[in-house]
Structure formats: C-alpha cells, structure tokens
Amino acid sequence: MGQFKYILGTETYIFSDLAELMAKATPLRSGDVLAGVSALTEKERAVAQMCLADVPLKQFLNESLIPYEDDDVTRLISDNHNQASFQPISHFTVGDFRNYLLSYGCDSQALANLKMGITPEMAAAVSKIMRNQDLILVAKKCNVVTQFRNTIGLSGHFSTRLQPNHPSDNLSGIAASILDGLLYGNGDAVIGINPATDNVEQCTRLLHMLDEVIQHYEIPTQSCVLTHVTNTLECIENGAPVDLVFQSIGGTQATNNSFGFTLEHLSEAQQAAQSLKRGTLGQNLMYFETGQGSSLSANAHHGLDQQTCEARAYGVARHFDPLLVNTVVGFIGPEYLYDGKQIIRAGLEDHFCGKLLGLPMGCDVCYTNHAEADQNDMDALLTLLANAGCNFIMGIPGSDDIMLNYQTTSFHDALYVRQLLGFKAAPEFNQWLVQMGIVDSNFQLTGLMPNELQQALNRL
C-alpha cells in the first residue's frame, strides 16, 4: 500500500491509495460527486486514468480496497481467486490488460479460461480506462450460458424477463400482463413478479399462480417472486413451488447487512432450492439484481466509488452460479446517475464487468421520472447492450412499471432487438412459441391468439 504519484509537466498529482486512484479515474457520475470521491476536474480524472493504467494487476491481490478482516465480500473475492487462471495475465498492468482484451488473440475461450483469475477490482479498473466501444467489443466476446428449464445466453439469442407487476397484486391483472407478454414472445428468461405486499403468505399465493400457468401451458421457462431471500426460504419450507431464489445484492458486507441478509443466507437458500430439483435442463437457480449507488445509499461504500462497489457485487453473484444477474442501472435515481449519458455509460460498464467475470448479465434498461433521461436514451443503451451480447432485458407492458413507478423496456423493445439483429428467444421457448402459433417458422409474430390463451383471457 502507498501513494501513487504522476507528474504531468510541472504539476505533480498524488493519490493517497488505490481506492482514491480508482475513484478519481472513474468517468463522471453524480453519485461519486455526492460521496466526495470524484475527480475535481476532467484533467485530474485523465491523470488518474493514466496513472491507473500503469498499476500492475498483482497490486489488486496485494492491496484490499476494504480490509480482509472487516468485510466478508473481500474475503469471498480473495479466497475464491484462482492463481492458475490469473497466471497468463499476472505480468500485466491495467493498461496491458486493456490492450490484451481488445486484441484479436483474446477470444471467447481465452476469456472463459481467465474469468476466475480476474477479481472484480481488476475488472472495474480496466473498465475505467476503456471507451464505450471497448466495453461493447470485449463484452461481446464473453459467452455465458445458463440453464434451468431452458437455455439462456446462446449466441444469436436474446431473452426477456416478463415483469407483470401489479400495484395491488391482483391475480387477474397479473395474468393479463403475463398473457400480453407471452403473445409478444416475452418471458423466456423468467416470469418474475415484484410483490406489492411482500410477505410469505402473499409470495406463496403468487408462486402457486405462476406455477399453475407454466405447468398448464407447458411453458419452458421459470418463475420467480422477487421477495427477500429469507421469505423464499420460508416459502420452500412451506412447500411452495419455488423455481428461482432472488436477492438484491451489494458489493460490501455492510451493504448486504442493510439489505437484511448474509452470504450464509444465500448459501442456505441455494441449497434448499436445489433440493427441490425443479430444473429440467440445469440447476442454475439464483437470480440477483444490483445497481450502482446501492452501497452509497446505505452509507456502506467505505469511501469507494460506486462502480467499483458494483463490480464487487458481481464477485458475490459469481460464487452462487446464478441463472440470471441484472443491473437495474437507472432505478436508484439521478442522485447516483444524473442523466442519460451517465446511465448509458454505467450500463455498459456493468455489463462488461459482469460478463468479464463470467456472469449471465442482463440489464434493466431504465430510468426514474425525475432523471434527466428519456426513452430515446434507453433506446440507445438497449441497442448498444444488444450488440454487446447482453443476455436479457425486462419486458413490461408499455415500458411503464405501474407498481414500482419507473420507466423501463416494453414487450415491443425485445421484438425490436430481435428484428434488428436477427436474434431469437431461448431455443426451447422459441419452439413453444411456434407450437402455440404465436410465431411462425421464421420466428415472426403471427398476430394470432392461440385458442388456449383466448380461453384463459375470457376467464379473466
């Protein structure tokens, strides 16, 4: 540990430690300004980036940004680091690492071999000296495929979480949104509900309803009620049909404590869900959501910049072999990501870091109504992420979540991406869409409503 010094002409810049250097090198965002860790000028930011580029990757193994003895996330990252995987890049600086990632010789297999040797802090560091196009190009090389009842993340495929939230958890309203989404080819990643009334009884009710729909129509997908992990554990103990275990996670122990869980809770829930053996193709059954600014909002960031904290959350996620991980990139608000430009940059950073670390990354391409952003900004981020190999996005009626009160992507947005880039839904789900007559043999919407679904609609 020690100071970092960079001399530029007659000026000398000193950064007290690696944490300060990382923060000052981060592209501008309102959360870091709010936390008082951001560079004061663009010149200082550029100098910090040049200085960071010269830092050896080994330094991230020797200097913990949060002390090992004080933080279980630090311990998880350190204890899980694979020295053999790290060996091919162990002589690199951060700048060398960037050059290697962008090289022709660094392909999907090479990145897969490296992933357990890369720490979240290394991923965050290299992202800070990359342009948006760099983040897109490298993420595109990272293929991460997961399975539960279908196969998510295959090249040429683009999945969605069908998000049928309702402000009063009305089952007919939820069912109508599910039907709407299915008719637009949405829902292959998961049919996932944020419960308005978050208790075990209500979650159990919603889980049974989702399971009945999936089983009755033989839909090759999975369900999730996005409740607290301890509630999910109780649901499993009570015999509820739990497919995926959900939890919002952060990059520090203090953040996760503020969310009301520990890493032991995640392990217990994972083991309990796996014991149900509800997956038909695989046992990837954890679903995590993250978001830049969560550690700062909990006063649990330890002086780190919000993007580095976010990358550390991916170190937590990776340990549990999830089916899905997504950054809810603009959800926390303009206090953390002020405008469309900052949201776009953060979304690309998050996706890049997650994929580099071997995660099945999706993104909730979203913003709050008081942010300096609009749907055109989200169109830009959606298009960039789709080209970067993003595994999935959200699908919500009219792109307006009437329960959580934020703006995200609609059922139509997934169709736009699939039509633009020739992508399809998960293969097993695609076949179901064809069998139901929702899409034709060319995987284009027929505009027809299957008789079974019409009967279901009439019963609502």
Side-chain angles (χ1 to χ4, degrees), residues 1 59-68 74 78 121 312:
M1 298 181 65
Q59 186 139 353
F60 293 93
L61 302 178
N62 299 325
E63 182 174 344
S64 296
L65 300 184
I66 304 174
Y68 182 92
T74 297
S78 178
E121 292 86 353
R312 284 169 54 91

Side-chain angles (χ1 to χ4, degrees), residues 149-386:
R149 290 200 189 99
N150 57 24
T151 307
I152 300 168
L154 292 170
S155 179
H157 295 262
F158 189 73
S159 297
T160 62
R161 168 189 163 191
L162 203 172
Q163 187 170 315
N165 294 343
H166 193 280
S168 64
D169 285 341
N170 179 275
L171 294 187
S172 293
I174 291 170
S177 291
I178 292 173
L179 176 59
D180 192 18
L182 292 173
L183 290 173
Y184 281 103
N186 279 239
D188 51 335
V190 62
I191 303 176
I193 301 171
N194 298 90
T197 305
D198 194 5
N199 58 52
V200 172
E201 181 180 358
Q202 181 67 357
C203 292
T204 300
R205 181 168 166 253
L206 293 172
L207 283 166
H208 280 289
M209 178 264 195
L210 289 173
D211 188 59
E212 288 171 9
V213 170
I214 289 172
Q215 299 302 326
H216 180 79
Y217 296 106
E218 299 181 329
I219 309 171
T221 190
Q222 36 282 328
S223 70
C224 186
V225 173
L226 282 70
T227 186
H228 194 271
V229 63
T230 55
N231 284 347
T232 302
L233 268 169
E234 285 195 51
C235 289
I236 293 172
E237 292 167 359
N238 294 339
V242 172
D243 288 343
L244 306 188
V245 174
F246 170 80
Q247 184 57 49
S248 295
I249 59 173
T252 71
Q253 180 176 342
T255 307
N256 294 330
N257 286 345
S258 76
F259 290 160
F261 77 92
T262 65
L263 301 183
E264 288 72 25
H265 284 125
L266 298 182
S267 294
E268 183 182 355
Q270 182 185 39
Q271 292 169 17
Q274 286 175 340
S275 71
L276 301 179
K277 301 185 184 303
R278 292 178 58 81
T280 55
L281 297 181
Q283 282 291 298
N284 301 117
L285 49 70
M286 302 299 280
Y287 174 19
F288 297 118
E289 287 189 343
T290 66
Q292 288 194 30
S294 59
S295 293
L296 174 58
S297 67
N299 194 28
H301 60 104
H302 295 268
L304 303 185
D305 66 272
Q306 64 186 38
Q307 191 257 336
T308 298
C309 287
E310 173 75 2
R312 284 169 54 91
Y314 303 151
V316 174
R318 180 168 65 176
H319 181 69
F320 294 97
D321 200 19
L323 179 75
L324 306 167
V325 179
N326 71 268
T327 166
V328 193
V329 66
F331 181 74
I332 303 181
E335 299 84 359
Y336 305 94
L337 295 169
Y338 178 72
D339 57 14
K341 181 176 182 180
Q342 291 186 14
I343 292 171
I344 289 170
R345 173 69 192 190
L348 294 177
E349 288 171 349
D350 294 351
H351 179 255
F352 162 83
C353 288
K355 293 296 280 289
L356 191 63
L357 293 169
L359 288 176
M361 286 300 294
C363 184
D364 193 341
V365 180
C366 65
Y367 63 102
T368 59
N369 287 317
H370 62 307
E372 291 295 322
D374 60 24
Q375 213 65 40
N376 286 323
D377 294 315
M378 299 306 103
D379 285 350
L381 177 55
L382 171 63
T383 305
L384 295 172
L385 285 170

